[in-house]
Amino acid sequence: MEVKSEIDPRTNRYTEVAFDEATEAGADHVLLVLDTFGGALKDADEIRERILHYPKPVYVFIDNNAASAGALISIACDSIYMSPGSSIGAATVVGADGEAAPGKYQSYMRSIMRATAEANGRNPRLAEAMVEPSVDSTLSAGQVLTLSTTEAVKLGFCDGVATDVEGVLALLNLQDAEVIYYEPGTADAIISFFLNPFVSGILLLVIVGGLYFELQTPGIGFPLIAAIIAGTLYLVPYYLTGLAENWEILLFVVGLILIMLEAFVIPGFGIAGISGILLTITSLVLIMLNNYNFDFTFVPSENLMKSLISVVLGMVGAGVLIALSWNRLVSSTAMDRVVLKNSFHSDEGYRSSNSAVHLVGKTGFAHTHMTPTGRVMIDDTLYDAQARDGFIEKGEAIQVIDHSTFSLRVKKVS
């Protein structure tokens, strides 16, 4: 398997799936071809543990660079092979600004570099020197240690030199072995496609637009289905690659619930709606970032900007779509089927209880059987009504005790 990119959640998942594939295939050896300048410490540590605990031998072929997190992954392997002109080391933990991270991160990196080197019989002091200058290392000259291929061979950090994978297999006496080259499947290609910030922005547009148009029509229709599908396509790839944490998804769901409460339960637009919008936008931004428990020490500012721009553009795009299509939506045939446009006039026998406050306390009689709804006659005018006690016979005397949006509430009187 090949890792020739930044160490991040995507790389982490790639190695996990590759090792599962190796186990399923019954492979006796695993060879990792590595060329990286490093990446996220959390993901590198998980890859390190995966390599250390794998029951079969794991070898690494450094084809150019194994810097920072790449050095940690390399020394976790049973054997290290390097191409001429390659290097390994420079494992100082740096923050998003490229400067050395606080001391606690360096201390942790030193400890796992030392422990990993000891686990595979390598010099732990040299491994530590790759993180911070060590007095035991004359090679580093007061700087973090980086070893060339020749130096790595001399100091026991490299088990052999080869120009390609076939050369490594020959050094391992595996030149006649059956070789399986791991390639990501269709599912991984689809996941990578939906992780593109531009595609994420389009999905956000569909989510917001779908929810908005669904709120304009009763029942469950195509806009809601489209929003659910887009939401699934947005969240699942980030969750599978480890970018979306459980709490970030929970934040997103809570935001949507608050928005729904504001739209359907709470009158007006207030704290619930504003909080829901803020939580939703925040969660969508965080889902796209490789932060750890809200720690942005290792999140590059350009990644934060890409995430924020994708979310904002998605929201703005949805707003533009709604504005451009609103008039067409209102006058569409679909809206004619779900929006009541009839007029109801009092001379046709229709009454609105909004103008019936003056009827409270008045008496009349049941014009129909009320079980519990029906019609009552008051001052020679018919009104829709609801019996408080559940049942009133036709012709019995009633008295108005209250009024609601659609009907009067009445009780039977002697």
Side-chain angles (χ1 to χ4, degrees):
M1 56 179 168
E2 290 188 349
V3 173
K4 294 189 174 182
S5 61
E6 180 183 358
I7 306 301
D8 59 13
R10 287 172 280 258
T11 311
N12 193 351
R13 182 177 184 276
Y14 169 87
T15 61
E16 180 181 15
V17 176
F19 275 114
D20 289 342
E21 183 83 8
T23 301
E24 185 176 343
D28 297 308
H29 309 267
V30 174
L31 176 61
L32 167 63
V33 181
L34 184 67
D35 182 11
T36 181
F37 287 106
L41 175 58
K42 175 177 177 290
D43 296 295
D45 192 24
E46 291 182 5
I47 296 172
R48 174 191 78 99
E49 291 183 3
R50 192 171 295 128
I51 293 172
L52 287 174
H53 296 150
Y54 194 71
K56 302 292 181 142
V58 180
Y59 316 114
V60 62
F61 174 45
I62 300 173
D63 190 16
N64 203 16
N65 292 298
S68 191
L72 174 62
I73 293 171
S74 296
I75 63 176
C77 297
D78 295 283
S79 297
I80 299 175
Y81 298 90
M82 301 174 68
S83 63
S86 295
S87 61
I88 178 174
T92 300
V93 183
V94 297
D97 56 0
E99 298 296 326
K104 63 178 182 178
Y105 297 106
Q106 310 303 341
S107 176
Y108 177 71
M109 187 64 169
R110 284 200 314 272
S111 69
I112 59 175
M113 287 285 285
R114 181 175 62 250
T116 306
E118 289 174 346
N120 287 326
R122 299 188 176 96
N123 189 328
R125 300 300 297 172
L126 289 179
E128 279 191 280
M130 292 181 179
V131 181
E132 288 186 331
S134 169
V135 294
D136 295 334
S137 173
T138 56
L139 289 174
S140 62
Q143 302 295 320
V144 293
L145 180 63
T146 300
L147 299 176
S148 66
T149 299
T150 302
E151 292 169 336
V153 171
K154 180 180 177 181
L155 295 172
F157 259 73
C158 177
D159 297 281
V161 181
T163 57
D164 51 28
V165 170
E166 287 72 20
V168 175
L169 295 178
L171 291 173
L172 290 167
N173 293 319
L174 296 173
Q175 61 270 22
D176 297 324
E178 177 189 357
V179 180
I180 300 172
Y181 290 88
Y182 173 71
E183 294 289 344
T186 303
D188 294 285
I190 293 174
I191 289 174
S192 296
F193 173 77
F194 284 109
L195 288 175
N196 185 297
F198 176 78
V199 176
S200 296
I202 297 296
L203 292 175
L204 288 175
L205 187 152
V206 176
I207 294 171
V208 177
L211 290 175
Y212 178 82
F213 287 122
E214 184 64 28
L215 292 176
Q216 309 308 311
T217 58
I220 298 177
F222 174 75
L224 180 60
I225 294 174
I228 292 174
I229 293 174
T232 301
L233 293 176
Y234 181 90
L235 292 174
V236 170
Y238 284 104
Y239 182 78
L240 290 177
T241 54
L243 280 168
E245 302 285 347
N246 291 331
W247 66 270
E248 293 172 338
I249 296 176
L250 179 62
L251 204 66
F252 176 74
V253 173
V254 170
L256 288 182
I257 291 174
L258 288 175
I259 293 174
M260 294 298 181
L261 286 175
E262 188 73 36
F264 294 111
V265 180
I266 305 173
F269 188 77
I271 295 177
I274 295 173
S275 300
I277 292 173
L278 290 176
L279 285 177
T280 302
I281 293 176
T282 301
S283 64
L284 291 173
V285 172
L286 293 176
I287 283 171
M288 300 176 70
L289 298 175
N290 189 25
N291 68 93
Y292 183 64
N293 290 338
F294 226 81
D295 184 354
F296 295 90
T297 303
F298 305 108
V299 179
S301 57
E302 58 267 24
N303 289 2
L304 177 60
M305 288 304 300
K306 285 180 182 178
S307 176
L308 189 59
I309 290 173
S310 295
V311 172
V312 171
L313 288 181
M315 296 292 185
V316 172
V320 173
L321 177 64
I322 292 168
L324 293 177
S325 58
W326 175 248
N327 290 333
R328 181 176 295 181
L329 175 69
V330 171
S331 59
S332 67
T333 305
M335 288 296 286
D336 288 338
R337 290 198 295 266
V338 297
V339 177
L340 183 66
K341 295 185 177 181
N342 301 63
S343 296
F344 299 91
H345 303 283
S346 59
D347 56 5
E348 297 174 353
Y350 296 100
R351 294 289 184 274
S352 169
S353 66
N354 289 333
S355 59
V357 179
H358 66 286
L359 295 176
V360 176
K362 287 209 168 193
T363 58
F365 64 90
H367 186 71
T368 63
H369 290 291
M370 304 187 69
T371 57
T373 59
R375 307 193 80 187
V376 297
M377 179 73 75
I378 301 174
D379 295 338
D380 298 323
T381 303
L382 288 175
Y383 296 93
D384 291 324
Q386 182 180 38
R388 182 191 66 178
D389 301 319
F391 183 83
I392 299 177
E393 289 284 357
K394 179 180 179 180
E396 288 189 312
I398 57 92
Q399 183 180 31
V400 179
I401 59 173
D402 192 12
H403 72 95
S404 62
T405 305
F406 299 108
S407 64
L408 301 174
R409 290 189 68 223
V410 299
K411 67 176 182 178
K412 182 168 57 175
V413 296
S414 303

